[in-house]
Amino acid sequence: MPSEVTEEFIIIVAVVLIGLVLFGFTMMYFVPHEIFSLAQQQASSISSSTTISVGPLISNSVNASTVIEVYNPALSGNVTLIVFPEPSYLQQDVGLVTPQSLPQSSIYLSNFSVYLSNGKLAKSLSINVPIYDVSGKIVYGSQITAYTVPFNTPVTVIVNGVNGNNYILIVWVLYNSNGYWFRIGYTFTGAPST
């Protein structure tokens, strides 16, 4: 009789342990995957209803500036901006270019400022996790400085050390959903044609 109880107890313990292992595997794999999928769907939905307006690139010998507005009438929260210069010949590749695509762009990564409509500097933050596009592909994986700005409000971006005649400014609009960063839109601006 005691050996039968011991065998049954061992079987119960084994079944419980197998159940805990399966539960742990589920929590480690399926739950994060589902959270990412929901975040991606939310970012995609916001992306499809958001427009980016950007003014011409105005420059002097010291810096360049432009005005940007991220417009989505259904939202009143914040988005995040990354702005980086690239040589103007990359205009046709603006969707593929990243802040460190070329060596000359790496010197400008944190060399921009964003000012709110009241003249105050927008809140900056450092992003050190991957940035995805709305299809779930990683578009950037290094640390980068960005600025938080409100939807539906024009902001002024100033980039130091850029000659507007030779460069375009690429603008990325990021949205944080469930802890994941998504590029929900991008555009560019250059010097106005004469």
Side-chain angles (χ1 to χ4, degrees), residues 101-115:
S101 295
L102 297 171
Q104 60 262 44
S105 67
S106 63
I107 62 173
Y108 299 113
L109 282 180
S110 62
N111 206 12
F112 75 101
S113 303
V114 178
Y115 292 89

Side-chain angles (χ1 to χ4, degrees), residues 67-86:
V67 175
I68 299 169
E69 181 178 7
V70 182
Y71 183 72
N72 188 326
L75 297 174
S76 61
N78 292 326
V79 289
T80 303
L81 294 180
I82 295 174
V83 178
F84 57 97
E86 291 290 352

Side-chain angles (χ1 to χ4, degrees), residues 159-182:
V159 182
N160 297 320
V162 173
N163 179 343
N165 296 326
N166 300 323
Y167 284 89
I168 58 172
L169 289 185
I170 298 177
V171 179
W172 282 9
V173 178
L174 308 180
Y175 187 78
N176 189 309
S177 181
N178 290 337
Y180 296 99
W181 286 97
F182 291 91

Side-chain angles (χ1 to χ4, degrees), residues 1 8 15 27 45-46 58 60 62 70 89 136 140 153-154 157:
M1 186 73 127
E8 288 177 9
V15 168
M27 294 304 287
S45 174
I46 291 171
I58 308 299
N60 56 34
V62 180
V70 182
Y89 67 82
Y140 192 76
T153 303
V157 175

Side-chain angles (χ1 to χ4, degrees), residues 34-82:
E34 185 62 25
I35 290 172
F36 179 81
S37 180
L38 291 172
Q40 180 185 354
Q41 289 172 12
Q42 182 183 26
S44 180
S45 174
I46 291 171
S47 174
S48 66
S49 60
T50 299
T51 58
I52 307 165
S53 299
V54 60
L57 183 63
I58 308 299
S59 66
N60 56 34
S61 60
V62 180
N63 57 41
S65 66
T66 189
V67 175
I68 299 169
E69 181 178 7
V70 182
Y71 183 72
N72 188 326
L75 297 174
S76 61
N78 292 326
V79 289
T80 303
L81 294 180
I82 295 174

Side-chain angles (χ1 to χ4, degrees), residues 118-134:
N118 63 6
K120 293 185 178 181
L121 187 64
K123 180 183 175 188
S124 68
L125 66 134
S126 179
I127 299 173
N128 55 9
V129 295
I131 298 171
Y132 300 89
D133 64 14
V134 292

